Amino acid sequence: MAKIRLRTWRRLVLVLFAAIFGAIVYRWISLERLQRFAPIEISETPTPAPTATRSPVITGKLDTARLFNGVTLHSSVETIPGADAATERAQPESYVLDLKLLARVPSPNKTIDELAKVSPQLPTLLPGLSSMVSAESVSPLFTQLYDTKVRMLRENLARLDLLLSRHNFFDCQTVLQLQHPQTHRKALLLQAEMDVDADGSDSDRLPAGTGTSANFKPATSYRWDKKTDAANPYLAGTEQRLRRAEDDYGLASTAPARKRELRNAIADLRAEIATLKKFSFLIGATDPFIVVPGTFTRGPDPVKVGDYALVIFGDAIYPAIVGDVGPNDKVGEASLRIAKELNALATAYNRPVSDLKVSYIIFQGTAEKPFGPPDLDKIQSRCETLVKEIGGASVPLHHWENIIPSPTPSPSPSPSPSATASGTASPSPSSTFAFHISTPVATASPGTTVAATRTPSASRNPHSKRKP
């Protein structure tokens, strides 16, 4: 009887132990499930946890013709057996697109003969170049330019819509740092294409806007203090955009992420408004200037805004200045005024020269300050002098017609007007500025324009140099 009782007690203890163990296991499983579905409590100062990196996922509708614009595409589809569809749908590696972009980095032209293959008239137009060009003349800027292009390709490979097009990857034939053996005049020579810069505004010289393109900016890097109180023609529109951004920012329904975007936009718009109120700028439609990459303005022998320059195309040489700074990974851009002179069909959307047949020569260290409204006669005179310092030119430099002269003081009557000996009223201390346009805008000389006209969207260049 005692043995039976002892056996019974043992069984009861085992059953009780098993029940306790089962309860513990059940409780643990229940807590795990609750943690999956319960909302996560965030402390006041959360500590950021490391997140696992995942391959980017392509979603939505994409225009593949735009994504692979100019890129030779070799494609194939490979399949392997997998698990059931529900399982494979949850596995990121079950449906993968591997991207590999092969880009050949070009070699720069190094000799006068190689330059002549692209621009046959160049050695004749500037005979002194033959004594300045050598294999050692290749500038480090050429390698730096293409290193930047490759780096941008790597950074944007997962964003195919941001990749450089074939056209813009191969946009520079060479960059040569030259120096004349006798005069020691330095010059930077580029061979590239030409895109169009239609940016800029100056209410002192042209109170009305000249039209805007999709990537238009009312300011250029070359700027000077305003001469009159005339409001910039793009100031009102910028102030209106600022008010809309501030109104959206103040709405209670605006999401935090959107507020961050608006905060940055508001800061940019306020800075732009202050700039438009204080400065005048070059006008792409009326002023002859070129654009250089930002990286060209740094390092030894940098290009500076305001440096004098030449644009050489065909059998003509055009004087210009460096008027704007563009993206670091693109070369070959000039103002709409120059573009129209090279090709009457050029617009803010249509480049005048797509082949790498435009030569740009920049005379580093020649910028003259303080900056002011461009004096086209002075630009021509200075460029003629600089050309002589590199051996001279076989043809006269192109003469730019002054479409909109610089503003000149216009006397206003004083409280006690009196005629001077010449019969003009004496100016008062509060004189205002005025100017007269000698050539009407609508009847500008052939090859010039003061309006960037839009072309149909089919002809728009989606890979222009200018960033949005």
Side-chain angles (χ1 to χ4, degrees), residues 139-192:
S139 171
L141 292 174
F142 182 84
T143 301
Q144 185 177 346
L145 171 67
Y146 274 94
D147 286 347
T148 303
K149 290 177 181 286
V150 172
R151 177 173 55 82
M152 296 300 292
L153 289 179
R154 292 194 176 108
E155 292 178 0
N156 295 326
L157 190 56
R159 286 291 309 276
L160 298 181
D161 56 324
L162 298 181
L163 284 183
L164 282 172
S165 66
R166 174 193 295 269
H167 186 98
N168 279 338
F169 185 78
F170 298 105
D171 64 359
C172 184
Q173 191 79 358
T174 193
V175 182
L176 302 179
Q177 180 61 63
L178 308 178
Q179 185 172 18
H180 195 271
Q182 280 79 43
T183 65
H184 304 292
R185 167 58 64 189
K186 290 184 177 181
L188 192 71
L189 185 148
L190 318 175
Q191 274 190 328

Side-chain angles (χ1 to χ4, degrees), residues 304-348:
K304 295 297 185 182
V305 172
D307 281 346
Y308 291 96
L310 303 174
V311 176
I312 305 164
F313 180 69
D315 56 359
I317 304 175
Y318 304 89
I321 60 172
V322 176
D324 214 350
V325 177
N328 292 330
D329 57 345
K330 298 172 185 176
V331 170
E333 188 173 5
S335 65
L336 181 60
R337 177 76 188 272
I338 296 178
K340 293 289 289 184
E341 194 66 35
L342 269 60
N343 185 342
L345 299 179
T347 69

Side-chain angles (χ1 to χ4, degrees), residues 133-425:
V133 177
S134 66
E136 292 75 27
S137 299
V138 177
S139 171
L141 292 174
F142 182 84
T143 301
Q144 185 177 346
L145 171 67
Y146 274 94
D147 286 347
T148 303
K149 290 177 181 286
V150 172
R151 177 173 55 82
M152 296 300 292
L153 289 179
R154 292 194 176 108
E155 292 178 0
N156 295 326
L157 190 56
R159 286 291 309 276
L160 298 181
D161 56 324
L162 298 181
L163 284 183
L164 282 172
S165 66
R166 174 193 295 269
H167 186 98
N168 279 338
F169 185 78
F170 298 105
D171 64 359
C172 184
Q173 191 79 358
T174 193
V175 182
L176 302 179
Q177 180 61 63
L178 308 178
Q179 185 172 18
H180 195 271
Q182 280 79 43
T183 65
H184 304 292
R185 167 58 64 189
K186 290 184 177 181
L188 192 71
L189 185 148
L190 318 175
Q191 274 190 328
E193 59 173 11
M194 181 180 287
D195 274 350
V196 179
D197 183 354
D199 292 347
S201 57
D202 179 8
S203 57
D204 296 342
R205 296 183 295 149
L206 195 63
T210 58
T212 60
S213 59
N215 299 328
F216 175 82
K217 293 180 177 60
T220 60
S221 301
Y222 187 104
R223 59 191 62 183
W224 60 93
D225 290 339
K226 286 177 58 62
K227 307 294 184 184
T228 75
D229 294 331
N232 187 288
Y234 303 99
L235 178 60
T238 307
E239 290 176 332
Q240 186 177 8
R241 292 199 303 273
L242 174 62
R243 287 192 293 270
R244 287 199 300 264
E246 290 175 336
D247 291 343
D248 291 346
Y249 184 83
L251 294 176
S253 58
T254 304
R258 176 60 178 162
K259 280 184 176 289
R260 286 193 296 271
E261 295 177 359
L262 289 171
R263 189 159 50 243
N264 294 333
I266 289 171
D268 292 341
L269 288 169
R270 286 175 178 171
E272 182 176 341
I273 288 171
T275 300
L276 294 180
K277 288 182 176 180
K278 182 178 181 181
F279 297 106
S280 289
F281 313 92
L282 297 175
I283 304 174
T286 63
D287 300 326
F289 65 87
I290 66 171
V291 183
V292 297
T295 51
F296 282 28
T297 63
R298 300 184 288 272
D301 294 324
V303 175
K304 295 297 185 182
V305 172
D307 281 346
Y308 291 96
L310 303 174
V311 176
I312 305 164
F313 180 69
D315 56 359
I317 304 175
Y318 304 89
I321 60 172
V322 176
D324 214 350
V325 177
N328 292 330
D329 57 345
K330 298 172 185 176
V331 170
E333 188 173 5
S335 65
L336 181 60
R337 177 76 188 272
I338 296 178
K340 293 289 289 184
E341 194 66 35
L342 269 60
N343 185 342
L345 299 179
T347 69
Y349 296 100
N350 299 327
R351 62 174 64 93
V353 183
S354 292
D355 296 330
L356 306 178
K357 294 185 176 182
V358 183
S359 297
Y360 304 84
I361 294 181
I362 303 169
F363 298 101
Q364 298 136 296
T366 58
E368 299 176 359
K369 293 187 177 181
F371 293 159
D375 185 337
L376 300 187
D377 291 334
K378 181 180 179 181
I379 291 174
Q380 178 159 3
S381 175
R382 287 290 291 124
C383 286
E384 288 174 346
T385 300
L386 292 168
V387 166
K388 291 177 182 178
E389 295 180 6
I390 60 170
S394 61
V395 297
L397 271 59
H398 175 80
H399 176 73
W400 294 108
E401 181 181 354
N402 224 358
I403 299 177
I404 47 172
S406 300
T408 56
S410 177
S412 59
S414 61
S416 300
S418 61
T420 63
S422 60
T424 58

